[in-house]
Amino acid sequence: MMKNKFSILHNVFFLVLFLMLLLPASAQARKYSPIELEDQAQAQWHINYASYLIDIGKYFEALEQYDTAVDYSPVAKTRVNAMFGKAMVLSTFLDAPEKAADVYRMVGRNYPDYADTALYRLGFLYYQMDRYDRANSVFRQYLRYFPKGKFKYQAEAVISSMQAKQEQKVEQKPEQKPEEKPGEKIPSKIGKEPTLRVCLSRKVTSMIVTTGTGKDKICTDELGCGRKYKVGISGNKLTLDGKVVSATRIKFKSNGSLKVSYGSETKKVRGIIDVSIRKGKLLILNLIEIEDYLRSVVPAESYASWPAETLKAQAVAARTYAYYQKKHRTHLFYDVYADTYDQMYGGVDREDKRTDKAVKQTSGQVMLYKEKPILSQYTANSGGFTADAKAIFGAGKDYLIAQKDSASLKGKMASWTKKYSSKDIEAKLKKIGISVPGIRSIKALEKGPSGRIVKVRIKYKSGSRDLRTRTTLGSSRVLKLPDILLQIDKTGDYYTFKGRGWGHGVGYSQWGAAELGKTKKYDHILKFYYPGSSIKQLW
């Protein structure tokens, strides 16, 4: 999916051909060098890829792409757009509005041409946080500095709205709080188990749904009951068994499981199948209670043969991840994807008795940090040292830090070696639009606390290029390096990359947890990989 979506961006010819369309009019007047044109094309690719990553819930990875775009682009407007994108991710998806505010202030200081937009966005950010005093101060500052600014009327409208809310608040009587004994906290109530909107597909134009057993009937809200239905699209309308229906969405229910086939995929699932049209394709959702969802996810993310405590730790981590996404995707049509973009979800056929038991024994348990669900990042293997999220992605969390993880070295995927010739590396970089003819050396330029090489410097015949290792040489691009916890050796015309770990290295190490589960309880495993967090029963 990713390769198909962005293949045109990898074609250097088209990137350069359309580059002038990407540049602002003021920038087009300036003559750019071939390297600057390449860099601008790279920057735009990373911005586009960041949008895609946000769409599939990879928020930290999106920040990494925005930072890469800022590093590359010679155009101020492009750098600012990337910084604004980063601020949006920080405030909307990573619960870090103050860090987003810092980004807006940085834009205001360093890019005078965009200071009005940055100041307005800063004020609106505080307004969304219900910090009306700060928002009011920023908006009034905006009106002083930019009396004819492009957001003048919006700023005035928000100020007026805040004044009305403050007056309404004064008129209301204060709420009576329950009595609380000194030193005691009022216990929070256990909530209802959430239902997830699992996106099975949004790329097909037809699907077939039958009963999982072949015996139970399938019923729709208003379109009757049967044993098999075919859904398609005619114009902008849904069709059911070839007939256009007036319903804008169809929900299929059964007493047992449902089997749904779409494209080359077939899944047997619990819950409800919800079908609608989005952007000319079918949006196929599986509405399922989170604990039933986990019955499929845990055996897909772990081996069912792993220790019971490991499986319980994976169940809590997976539950926390899904719950976090549900809380942060309220503006979208889905909560999670049914594949590795979020968590692998294979449906009923993937369930296993051992992982079912782990899910049941931890039912409703979620990892919290400062009373909020954590973004429970996990990686296949940390390579013996977990990564600091800030060093890898450009923004961190107190529970995603670098620390020694000896257990991971005992698991699979702990180490690897890749070897490439200089010409092979040159050709692979050229394919994505980076020219480094005549490579003479590749050396670490910047390392994170775990020892991971965040940036490299490539010296070549006529100069040097500084590249972010993960976003350029990493697993999804040029050299497909499994991790950046590595050393680089040169022998003759060949470069050998000897590495440890598999993935980004941040958070929970699955193979490390498999080793820890032999002697440690699941809560110990989770608190080790997410230090400072706690487990709480939410439903």
Side-chain angles (χ1 to χ4, degrees), residues 507-531:
Y508 181 99
S509 170
Q510 291 173 308
W511 278 104
E515 288 298 318
L516 288 174
K518 295 174 182 178
T519 57
K520 303 293 184 181
K521 297 293 185 182
Y522 76 99
D523 57 339
H524 173 94
I525 298 170
L526 291 166
K527 290 175 183 178
F528 171 75
Y529 285 118
Y530 306 116

Side-chain angles (χ1 to χ4, degrees), residues 211-337:
T211 59
T213 62
K215 298 177 182 178
D216 300 303
K217 283 188 176 182
I218 306 170
C219 293
T220 66
D221 291 333
E222 299 175 351
L223 301 172
C225 298
R227 298 193 184 278
K228 181 178 179 181
Y229 289 101
K230 183 175 182 180
V231 181
I233 300 175
S234 177
N236 61 350
K237 299 283 188 180
L238 286 171
T239 63
L240 190 64
D241 293 336
K243 297 180 180 179
V244 174
V245 295
S246 59
T248 57
R249 66 191 312 142
I250 305 173
K251 291 184 179 181
F252 298 96
K253 306 172 185 177
S254 176
N255 290 330
S257 60
L258 294 167
K259 182 185 285 187
V260 55
S261 300
Y262 49 93
S264 61
E265 295 280 333
T266 297
K267 277 190 174 72
K268 189 189 297 184
V269 300
R270 302 180 187 278
I272 297 169
I273 293 295
D274 180 334
V275 189
S276 58
I277 299 175
R278 292 288 181 273
K279 296 182 179 180
K281 304 288 185 179
L282 292 180
L283 174 66
I284 307 173
L285 302 178
N286 179 197
L287 310 182
I288 183 171
E289 291 186 336
I290 194 168
E291 301 299 331
D292 282 339
Y293 164 77
L294 292 171
R295 292 178 65 183
S296 169
V297 166
V298 176
E301 292 288 349
S302 298
Y303 290 100
S305 59
W306 277 356
E309 294 301 313
T310 300
L311 299 180
K312 287 193 279 186
Q314 179 69 73
V316 176
R319 182 183 294 109
T320 303
Y321 178 89
Y323 186 60
Y324 184 98
Q325 297 292 15
K326 180 175 178 61
K327 300 277 283 185
H328 289 78
R329 287 179 172 175
T330 54
H331 63 295
L332 299 177
F333 299 109
Y334 56 88
D335 299 317
V336 289
Y337 274 90

Side-chain angles (χ1 to χ4, degrees), residues 174-458:
E175 293 182 7
Q176 294 294 318
K177 293 184 178 180
E179 212 174 303
E180 185 176 351
K181 295 180 182 179
E184 265 188 9
K185 287 186 177 180
I186 299 173
S188 57
K189 294 181 179 179
I190 301 292
K192 183 182 177 183
E193 179 183 349
T195 296
L196 287 179
R197 301 169 299 166
V198 182
C199 182
L200 301 182
S201 177
R202 54 178 188 169
K203 299 192 300 179
V204 299
T205 55
S206 66
M207 58 155 272
I208 294 173
V209 59
T210 60
T211 59
T213 62
K215 298 177 182 178
D216 300 303
K217 283 188 176 182
I218 306 170
C219 293
T220 66
D221 291 333
E222 299 175 351
L223 301 172
C225 298
R227 298 193 184 278
K228 181 178 179 181
Y229 289 101
K230 183 175 182 180
V231 181
I233 300 175
S234 177
N236 61 350
K237 299 283 188 180
L238 286 171
T239 63
L240 190 64
D241 293 336
K243 297 180 180 179
V244 174
V245 295
S246 59
T248 57
R249 66 191 312 142
I250 305 173
K251 291 184 179 181
F252 298 96
K253 306 172 185 177
S254 176
N255 290 330
S257 60
L258 294 167
K259 182 185 285 187
V260 55
S261 300
Y262 49 93
S264 61
E265 295 280 333
T266 297
K267 277 190 174 72
K268 189 189 297 184
V269 300
R270 302 180 187 278
I272 297 169
I273 293 295
D274 180 334
V275 189
S276 58
I277 299 175
R278 292 288 181 273
K279 296 182 179 180
K281 304 288 185 179
L282 292 180
L283 174 66
I284 307 173
L285 302 178
N286 179 197
L287 310 182
I288 183 171
E289 291 186 336
I290 194 168
E291 301 299 331
D292 282 339
Y293 164 77
L294 292 171
R295 292 178 65 183
S296 169
V297 166
V298 176
E301 292 288 349
S302 298
Y303 290 100
S305 59
W306 277 356
E309 294 301 313
T310 300
L311 299 180
K312 287 193 279 186
Q314 179 69 73
V316 176
R319 182 183 294 109
T320 303
Y321 178 89
Y323 186 60
Y324 184 98
Q325 297 292 15
K326 180 175 178 61
K327 300 277 283 185
H328 289 78
R329 287 179 172 175
T330 54
H331 63 295
L332 299 177
F333 299 109
Y334 56 88
D335 299 317
V336 289
Y337 274 90
D339 51 36
T340 51
Y341 296 128
D342 273 314
Q343 298 181 126
M344 182 57 73
Y345 172 69
V348 174
D349 291 336
R350 196 61 190 266
E351 295 173 4
D352 185 276
K353 289 181 180 179
R354 294 191 80 245
T355 49
D356 277 357
K357 185 177 180 180
V359 171
K360 187 175 181 179
Q361 288 177 333
T362 63
S363 180
Q365 294 181 13
V366 172
M367 298 293 293
L368 303 182
Y369 183 81
K370 293 184 177 178
E371 300 304 310
K372 290 184 177 180
I374 69 170
L375 180 48
S376 50
Q377 294 282 118
Y378 41 90
T379 193
N381 192 311
S382 75
F385 217 110
T386 63
D388 179 81
K390 186 174 182 180
I392 301 299
F393 301 128
K397 293 287 186 183
D398 292 342
Y399 54 83
L400 296 174
I401 60 173
Q403 59 181 351
K404 191 175 181 180
D405 176 23
S406 302
S408 286
L409 291 175
K410 300 175 184 178
K412 293 182 180 180
M413 306 168 79
S415 62
W416 49 269
T417 300
K418 285 185 175 286
K419 188 175 182 180
Y420 297 96
S421 69
S422 294
K423 289 193 177 295
D424 196 13
I425 296 172
E426 289 173 23
K428 289 178 181 295
L429 284 168
K430 184 67 176 176
K431 192 173 181 180
I432 68 164
I434 298 175
S435 299
V436 285
I439 294 177
R440 292 177 176 171
S441 67
I442 303 175
K443 294 184 178 179
L445 179 64
E446 181 183 322
K447 290 186 178 183
S450 65
R452 284 172 168 81
I453 300 175
V454 178
K455 290 184 180 180
V456 295
R457 174 165 289 168
I458 299 181

